[in-house]
PDB file of all heavy atoms in Angstrom:
ATOM      1  N   GLU A   5       1.265  11.316  -1.300  1.00  0.00           N
ATOM      2  CA  GLU A   5       2.134  12.461  -1.039  1.00  0.00           C
ATOM      3  C   GLU A   5       1.301  13.705  -0.763  1.00  0.00           C
ATOM      4  O   GLU A   5       0.246  13.884  -1.340  1.00  0.00           O
ATOM      5  CB  GLU A   5       2.992  12.757  -2.267  1.00  0.00           C
ATOM      6  CG  GLU A   5       4.180  11.889  -2.396  1.00  0.00           C
ATOM      7  CD  GLU A   5       5.039  12.331  -3.579  1.00  0.00           C
ATOM      8  OE1 GLU A   5       5.030  13.518  -3.923  1.00  0.00           O
ATOM      9  OE2 GLU A   5       5.706  11.459  -4.133  1.00  0.00           O
ATOM     10  N   GLU A  52      32.155  66.974  12.397  1.00  0.00           N
ATOM     11  CA  GLU A  52      32.820  66.283  13.506  1.00  0.00           C
ATOM     12  C   GLU A  52      32.372  66.837  14.858  1.00  0.00           C
ATOM     13  O   GLU A  52      32.310  66.122  15.841  1.00  0.00           O
ATOM     14  CB  GLU A  52      34.341  66.401  13.367  1.00  0.00           C
ATOM     15  CG  GLU A  52      34.916  65.629  12.206  1.00  0.00           C
ATOM     16  CD  GLU A  52      34.748  64.131  12.379  1.00  0.00           C
ATOM     17  OE1 GLU A  52      34.826  63.637  13.522  1.00  0.00           O
ATOM     18  OE2 GLU A  52      34.531  63.454  11.364  1.00  0.00           O
ATOM     19  N   ASN A  53      32.060  68.132  14.908  1.00  0.00           N
ATOM     20  CA  ASN A  53      31.614  68.741  16.168  1.00  0.00           C
ATOM     21  C   ASN A  53      30.235  68.238  16.571  1.00  0.00           C
ATOM     22  O   ASN A  53      29.941  68.104  17.750  1.00  0.00           O
ATOM     23  CB  ASN A  53      31.584  70.263  16.033  1.00  0.00           C
ATOM     24  CG  ASN A  53      32.967  70.837  15.796  1.00  0.00           C
ATOM     25  OD1 ASN A  53      33.962  70.221  16.153  1.00  0.00           O
ATOM     26  ND2 ASN A  53      33.023  72.003  15.184  1.00  0.00           N
ATOM     27  N   LEU A  80      10.367  35.051  12.014  1.00  0.00           N
ATOM     28  CA  LEU A  80      10.468  33.634  12.369  1.00  0.00           C
ATOM     29  C   LEU A  80       9.104  33.095  12.813  1.00  0.00           C
ATOM     30  O   LEU A  80       8.705  31.997  12.412  1.00  0.00           O
ATOM     31  CB  LEU A  80      11.509  33.445  13.476  1.00  0.00           C
ATOM     32  CG  LEU A  80      12.950  33.710  13.077  1.00  0.00           C
ATOM     33  CD1 LEU A  80      13.864  33.592  14.290  1.00  0.00           C
ATOM     34  CD2 LEU A  80      13.387  32.752  11.992  1.00  0.00           C
ATOM     35  N   ILE A  92      -0.959  34.455   6.161  1.00  0.00           N
ATOM     36  CA  ILE A  92      -1.343  35.168   7.380  1.00  0.00           C
ATOM     37  C   ILE A  92      -0.101  35.537   8.191  1.00  0.00           C
ATOM     38  O   ILE A  92       0.034  36.653   8.684  1.00  0.00           O
ATOM     39  CB  ILE A  92      -2.319  34.331   8.246  1.00  0.00           C
ATOM     40  CG1 ILE A  92      -3.584  33.987   7.455  1.00  0.00           C
ATOM     41  CG2 ILE A  92      -2.642  35.030   9.550  1.00  0.00           C
ATOM     42  CD1 ILE A  92      -4.427  35.166   7.086  1.00  0.00           C
ATOM     43  N   ILE A  95       1.852  38.464   6.596  1.00  0.00           N
ATOM     44  CA  ILE A  95       1.165  39.748   6.810  1.00  0.00           C
ATOM     45  C   ILE A  95       1.340  40.217   8.249  1.00  0.00           C
ATOM     46  O   ILE A  95       1.642  41.386   8.498  1.00  0.00           O
ATOM     47  CB  ILE A  95      -0.327  39.627   6.435  1.00  0.00           C
ATOM     48  CG1 ILE A  95      -0.462  39.419   4.928  1.00  0.00           C
ATOM     49  CG2 ILE A  95      -1.110  40.848   6.889  1.00  0.00           C
ATOM     50  CD1 ILE A  95      -1.854  39.030   4.476  1.00  0.00           C
ATOM     51  N   TRP A  98       4.999  41.429   8.817  1.00  0.00           N
ATOM     52  CA  TRP A  98       5.259  42.754   8.256  1.00  0.00           C
ATOM     53  C   TRP A  98       4.589  43.842   9.085  1.00  0.00           C
ATOM     54  O   TRP A  98       5.159  44.916   9.288  1.00  0.00           O
ATOM     55  CB  TRP A  98       4.806  42.842   6.799  1.00  0.00           C
ATOM     56  CG  TRP A  98       5.830  42.289   5.879  1.00  0.00           C
ATOM     57  CD1 TRP A  98       5.795  41.089   5.243  1.00  0.00           C
ATOM     58  CD2 TRP A  98       7.075  42.888   5.521  1.00  0.00           C
ATOM     59  NE1 TRP A  98       6.943  40.907   4.507  1.00  0.00           N
ATOM     60  CE2 TRP A  98       7.737  41.994   4.646  1.00  0.00           C
ATOM     61  CE3 TRP A  98       7.698  44.083   5.843  1.00  0.00           C
ATOM     62  CZ2 TRP A  98       8.989  42.275   4.104  1.00  0.00           C
ATOM     63  CZ3 TRP A  98       8.945  44.356   5.288  1.00  0.00           C
ATOM     64  CH2 TRP A  98       9.571  43.459   4.437  1.00  0.00           C
TER      65      TRP A  98
END
Side-chain angles (χ1 to χ4, degrees):
E5 279 185 29
E52 291 294 325
N53 296 336
L80 292 176
I92 301 295
I95 292 169
W98 277 104

